[in-house]
Amino acid sequence: DVKVTQSSRYLVKRTGEKVFLECVQDMDHENMFWYRQDPGLGLRLIYFSYDVKMKEKGDIPEGYSVSREKKERFSLILESASTNQTSMYLCASSVTGGAATEAFFGQGTRLTVV
Amino acid sequence: GDSVTQMEGPVTLSEEAFLTINCTYTATGYPSLFWYVQYPGEGLQLLLKATKADDKGSNKGFEATYRKETTSFHLEKGSVQVSDSAVYFCALSEPWGAQKLVFGQGTRLTINP
């Protein structure tokens, strides 16, 4: 069974802390994505990666960075957490090639910044 | 850029009612279209998809038809069940590269017994 695993379901961090959200997939997928989900806004793409050490900005990259040192792992980093980064964060992965490839999602990390 | 607009929620229906959730899109190319569903406490999972005009995606009694002339991909189900209560997301992706998804706002559906 395919699996995308996010390291934490719930996190509470203080303003100004550096925060790491980890995501691991076991499907040997080339592409990995980080989205944030907010009510009324749907999912918005923060960053994505199409290969190891490769990354591209999504629609809302400000205040975030990412790291992909191994194919199976994609980390989202909040350099200095702020209260407006309180949100649900979803990681996803997909294979390259073919039409309408399915993205597989993790269960999400609900981050609260206080 | 590409965008997806879906009907505002929340939507509340009685069991066995007919469901329609509207979705329209704006894209420069010929995108693939998707419906994803998020059950309480879970991540998103693919419900159905379509890759070209007039394609119909279907799964679990849900259907959606890719209408290029109206740039729409409305989700329908003839008889909903309590277990269909979830948040539904319409999305598109361009058919090249990483095929990153662009999502609509999501529609929360509640089915009462």
Side-chain angles (χ1 to χ4, degrees):
Chain A
D1 201 14
V2 297
K3 204 162 185 181
V4 177
T5 304
Q6 295 182 229
S7 53
S8 304
R9 292 294 302 273
Y10 300 94
L11 276 179
V12 179
K13 296 293 182 180
R14 295 193 179 279
T15 301
E17 275 193 78
K18 191 169 186 176
V19 181
F20 294 84
L21 303 183
E22 306 287 344
C23 175
V24 177
Q25 52 98 359
D26 65 358
M27 296 165 281
D28 201 35
H29 285 171
E30 294 86 1
N31 306 311
M32 296 189 75
F33 309 84
W34 276 107
Y35 292 88
R36 64 176 281 176
Q37 180 181 3
D38 299 288
L41 297 177
L43 278 72
R44 293 178 292 166
L45 182 63
I46 304 172
Y47 267 96
F48 68 101
S49 168
Y50 53 88
D51 200 353
V52 175
K53 298 190 186 295
M54 306 303 290
K55 60 186 179 184
E56 286 199 20
K57 294 179 180 179
D59 300 317
I60 51 165
E62 296 79 16
Y64 303 94
S65 62
V66 290
S67 172
R68 193 168 181 200
E69 296 296 318
K70 293 185 177 181
K71 191 174 185 180
E72 67 270 19
R73 186 180 297 271
F74 192 37
S75 303
L76 180 69
I77 304 156
L78 285 66
E79 299 290 344
S80 177
S82 64
T83 54
N84 63 12
Q85 292 179 309
T86 291
S87 186
M88 172 72 86
Y89 291 86
L90 291 169
C91 175
S93 72
S94 69
V95 66
T96 294
T101 57
E102 179 178 357
F104 294 86
F105 285 81
Q107 289 189 293
T109 297
R110 184 166 295 281
L111 172 68
T112 303
V113 182
V114 298
Chain B
D2 296 351
S3 66
V4 175
T5 303
Q6 59 182 104
M7 78 188 267
E8 295 281 341
V11 174
T12 303
L13 296 172
S14 297
E15 207 165 20
E16 300 183 3
F18 184 85
L19 169 70
T20 300
I21 302 177
N22 290 336
C23 171
T24 58
Y25 67 91
T26 303
T28 51
Y30 297 91
S32 299
L33 301 176
F34 305 81
W35 279 98
Y36 279 81
V37 59
Q38 185 178 35
Y39 297 104
E42 299 183 13
L44 277 70
Q45 56 187 270
L46 179 65
L47 180 60
L48 53 83
K49 64 183 181 182
T51 59
K52 60 184 187 298
D54 300 324
D55 263 4
K56 178 184 282 188
S58 61
N59 187 25
K60 299 182 180 180
F62 290 90
E63 293 182 339
T65 300
Y66 191 142
R67 300 289 189 198
K68 189 162 171 48
E69 64 276 14
T70 54
T71 62
S72 65
F73 193 54
H74 305 320
L75 183 68
E76 296 183 336
K77 187 174 185 182
S79 176
V80 292
Q81 305 300 313
V82 172
S83 57
D84 294 327
S85 298
V87 182
Y88 291 81
F89 292 93
C90 186
L92 67 78
S93 71
E94 296 291 358
W96 59 75
Q99 297 188 30
K100 51 190 169 75
L101 290 161
V102 176
F103 286 90
Q105 309 94 303
T107 301
R108 181 175 298 278
L109 174 66
T110 301
I111 307 301
N112 293 320

